[in-house]
Amino acid sequence: MLLNTKKALVTGSSRGIGRKIVETFLKEGAEVWGLCSHPSSAKEDLEKFAKDNGSVFHEICADAANHTELKGVIENAMKESGGFDILVNNAGITKDGLSFRMKLEDWQKVLDVNLTAVFVISQIVSNDMIHRKAGSIINMTSIVGLHGGAGQVNYSASKAGLVGYTKSLSKEVGSRGVRVNAIAPGFIETDMSNAVNEKVREGWISMIPLKRAGNTEDVANAALFLASDLSTYITGQVLGVDGGMGC
């Protein structure tokens, strides 16, 4: 198993990409702490999934926009776990709208959750990784963080910020054996993408060289690669999981 004996923290763990990453890590031997904004309906299923795979799942909860609360929860998880070998910053929200109509609070909320929360969590976890001289941090950016998206200036800015953050942090911690990379998913089948009307969906798929939407397993497998010892000489990179859409 690629992650045997490893301990991982995955944010946004209850559904979509985050849940699939949790399941993939558990199958590969990791003990996983999943961070949600509130107690989730997925908790029991993930605990059973972990047990069936000979591992353990822990759900922890905090409002990612409340950075004082978030810091306390992460610090407690660090004490409980003894430190994490892997951190996946996956949690994110959208509050779409055209820029000239966007409310300041909608701009700020998205940056608080998608970018500042990553800084708060990573500061705590990476400090421990530095002392242990090992660790892998994976930040979930997006194709719109690289190429932009109309009606998503807040989301695009937050995800572009993660790219710069990833590359800068990788330079700070690399000499201590800590790797920092990002994944940039394209059009992935999730509850959120399934809500898009069929015409828009067909338009997106027509722009993908592989001519299909991705699935959560595609992203989770990329996260597994970056979390494991298969990628020990890879840091500061942005891995596109987009079917060639970003080429």
Side-chain angles (χ1 to χ4, degrees):
M1 291 187 288
L2 289 173
L3 303 181
N4 195 33
T5 75
K6 302 288 188 182
K7 295 180 181 179
L9 171 61
V10 179
T11 72
S13 60
S14 65
R15 60 193 181 98
I17 290 171
R19 178 166 179 167
K20 182 56 71 173
I21 290 173
V22 169
E23 292 174 349
T24 301
F25 284 11
L26 289 169
K27 283 176 68 175
E28 291 293 334
E31 183 175 356
V32 181
W33 277 253
L35 177 71
C36 302
S37 57
H38 50 77
S40 77
S41 59
K43 179 183 178 183
E44 290 186 8
D45 288 344
L46 288 172
E47 288 174 341
K48 183 179 184 302
F49 186 92
K51 186 176 180 180
D52 291 345
N53 284 274
S55 192
V56 182
F57 173 75
H58 314 261
E59 183 175 273
I60 56 177
C61 300
D63 177 2
N66 183 333
H67 301 135
T68 300
E69 175 188 330
L70 180 64
K71 182 179 179 184
V73 168
I74 297 302
E75 287 175 342
N76 286 338
M78 288 287 293
K79 291 176 184 176
E80 179 185 354
S81 66
F84 295 109
D85 304 290
I86 304 157
L87 167 62
V88 181
N89 287 304
N90 167 73
I93 63 169
T94 59
K95 287 186 177 291
D96 294 349
L98 295 174
S99 60
F100 63 88
R101 293 177 181 164
M102 185 172 289
K103 296 177 181 177
L104 180 58
E105 54 263 37
D106 289 343
W107 167 273
Q108 192 62 56
K109 180 82 170 186
V110 169
L111 265 69
D112 282 344
V113 173
N114 295 5
L115 186 57
T116 307
V118 171
F119 165 74
V120 171
I121 296 168
S122 300
Q123 187 176 56
I124 297 167
V125 175
S126 67
N127 186 53
D128 177 68
M129 289 178 170
I130 287 168
H131 289 297
R132 291 189 288 114
K133 296 185 177 180
S136 175
I137 297 174
I138 303 164
N139 298 320
M140 202 63 64
T141 180
S142 168
I143 191 170
V144 301
L146 302 175
H147 300 284
Q152 291 188 304
V153 292
N154 49 1
Y155 185 76
S156 298
S158 70
K159 293 302 186 177
L162 277 180
V163 172
Y165 176 78
T166 295
K167 291 181 176 292
S168 296
L169 185 60
S170 71
K171 295 179 186 297
E172 292 184 9
V173 301
S175 64
R176 297 300 188 94
V178 181
R179 296 179 293 113
V180 188
N181 292 288
I183 296 173
F187 182 43
I188 306 297
E189 298 273 15
T190 63
D191 291 342
M192 187 180 298
S193 66
N194 288 337
V196 173
N197 74 61
E198 192 61 29
K199 187 173 182 180
V200 172
R201 176 189 175 84
E202 289 174 0
W204 284 350
I205 291 176
S206 71
M207 295 187 292
I208 301 172
L210 291 183
K211 298 305 177 188
R212 69 168 179 89
N215 57 55
T216 55
E217 188 174 2
D218 293 323
V219 184
N221 286 339
L224 174 62
F225 169 69
L226 292 174
S228 75
D229 289 343
L230 294 174
S231 58
T232 54
Y233 199 55
I234 298 175
T235 194
Q237 303 303 307
V238 180
L239 176 59
V241 182
D242 59 15
M245 194 176 183
C247 292

